Amino acid sequence: MDADLSDLETFVAVARARGFRDAARATGRSASTLSEALRRLEARLGLRLLHRTTRSVAPTEAGARLLERLAPALDSVAAALGSLDELRERPTGLLRLNVPVSAAKLVLPSILPGFLAAFPDIRVEIDAEDSFVDILASGADAGIRYDERLEQDMIAVPIGPRVQRFAAAAAPAYLDRRGRPAHPRALLDHDGLVGRFSSGALASPWEFERDGEAVRIEPRARLIARVAGAADLLVDAAVGGGGIVYLFEEWLAPALAAGLLEPVLPEWWPSFPGPFLYYSSRRLVPPPLRAFIDHVRTLG
């Protein structure tokens, strides 16, 4: 027998309150609305559920039997829905992010510790790679990508630095030995330390720009290392005097600050917009992801 859940809830509310007025106050609905819902339910069931007088309401035998079985079930439904409210207020569960290696090293370290401290019931799993995958197909809740890699049907939220630069650097001893380039084209006479993506493509050409002039250089690669797993090896090789390395400025910053590397052509370093957290607009946002998005936005 079919019955509308709202009408069943009305029956339980009126039966428990032993009257339409008290039930109306408890539910926030009018007494006439509750009365109409009860009549509709009784007509559908073909049974009278409540005896009504001008002063009181009492369950019939059928009503008492239904109330005995139905009330605990509706209480369970209410408790289940209440647990979802708790989930919104105190998110829990797993958050999976698919990110480029550069974001795992340069963006997330300043964000994740505060997020994990603020939401102790959320676990985070990071898939860091240098290829571009479909986050939905990979099972990730969201990803981090740069503007040119974002899909049109995705929602994007700025995350991390809003402007970044690529930087070139080498050990002072290497530059003393091989000379300090005065123009990007002079890099063709130097040894390049170059990354390779998992697709097989080299992380080149190296791009430089100044005063409207853009220069693209294919360096002479003396050392090639896969970006995903060995970018730090390129930095170490540069520190050891192996050649010139070209990476995110933040990646080279510790070695530059320590004097282990010297900037090469810093006035030519190109800047570009920072990354975005992106996720599908085609589904409800899971509570762990919603909490992460809100946390990212609070960081400005």
Side-chain angles (χ1 to χ4, degrees):
M1 177 69 69
D2 245 351
D4 185 271
L5 180 60
S6 177
D7 291 347
L8 292 172
E9 291 174 333
T10 295
F11 161 69
V12 171
V14 174
R16 282 176 165 172
R18 297 282 175 158
F20 286 95
R21 289 183 180 178
D22 288 343
R25 282 193 291 269
T27 62
R29 300 162 68 191
S30 69
S32 61
T33 298
L34 298 181
S35 179
E36 175 59 32
L38 187 58
R39 282 196 295 269
R40 185 167 58 242
L41 178 61
E42 289 177 328
R44 184 170 297 168
L45 297 178
L47 291 167
R48 178 174 288 277
L49 300 176
L50 295 175
H51 294 300
R52 310 173 191 52
T53 70
T54 56
R55 290 183 297 179
S56 66
V57 169
T60 64
E61 180 183 356
R65 184 178 299 181
L66 179 61
L67 182 62
E68 180 182 4
R69 301 290 299 274
L70 183 60
L74 290 179
D75 288 342
S76 295
V77 171
L81 294 176
S83 70
L84 297 183
D85 292 333
E86 181 181 346
L87 191 62
R88 281 189 291 270
E89 296 167 3
R90 187 180 175 86
T92 184
L94 176 65
L95 171 64
R96 284 194 62 194
L97 300 177
N98 183 279
V99 306
V101 174
S102 59
K105 182 176 179 66
L106 306 177
V107 176
L108 291 179
S110 64
I111 295 174
L112 282 179
F115 175 73
L116 293 173
F119 299 96
D121 296 324
I122 294 178
R123 296 175 295 116
V124 179
E125 182 177 325
I126 306 296
D127 293 324
E129 51 190 321
D130 63 355
S131 59
F132 299 97
V133 302
D134 182 332
I135 60 168
L136 296 182
S138 73
D141 297 298
I144 295 178
R145 292 290 181 266
Y146 287 85
D147 188 43
E148 71 274 10
R149 296 289 185 174
L150 291 176
E151 298 176 24
Q152 295 301 312
D153 60 346
M154 292 288 177
I155 298 174
V157 177
I159 185 172
R162 298 323 313 136
V163 177
Q164 293 182 276
R165 293 196 301 176
F166 281 118
Y174 170 87
L175 296 173
D176 289 343
R177 185 173 72 252
R178 299 288 297 274
R180 287 167 172 78
H183 189 279
R185 292 190 185 89
L187 294 173
L188 295 173
D189 297 325
H190 284 264
D191 297 332
L193 309 175
V194 182
R196 185 189 296 279
F197 296 113
S198 59
S199 65
L202 292 178
S204 64
W206 293 355
E207 298 182 354
F208 298 88
E209 60 184 24
R210 185 179 71 171
D211 300 331
E213 181 184 1
V215 181
R216 294 161 63 92
I217 296 297
E218 292 286 354
R220 183 176 62 194
R222 290 295 309 282
L223 173 65
I224 299 174
R226 181 174 170 180
V227 174
D232 285 333
L233 174 61
L234 297 176
V235 178
D236 292 340
V239 169
I244 296 177
V245 65
Y246 180 89
L247 284 171
F248 286 89
E249 181 180 3
E250 297 97 326
W251 209 310
L252 302 178
L256 289 169
L260 300 175
L261 291 179
E262 179 181 322
V264 173
L265 301 168
E267 67 277 11
W268 286 86
W269 292 354
S271 61
F272 53 94
F276 292 84
L277 176 73
Y278 74 105
Y279 57 98
S280 173
S281 61
R282 300 192 297 271
R283 63 182 183 185
L284 293 175
V285 178
L289 176 56
R290 171 51 60 196
F292 187 69
I293 293 168
D294 292 342
H295 181 76
V296 167
R297 283 176 167 154
T298 63
L299 300 178

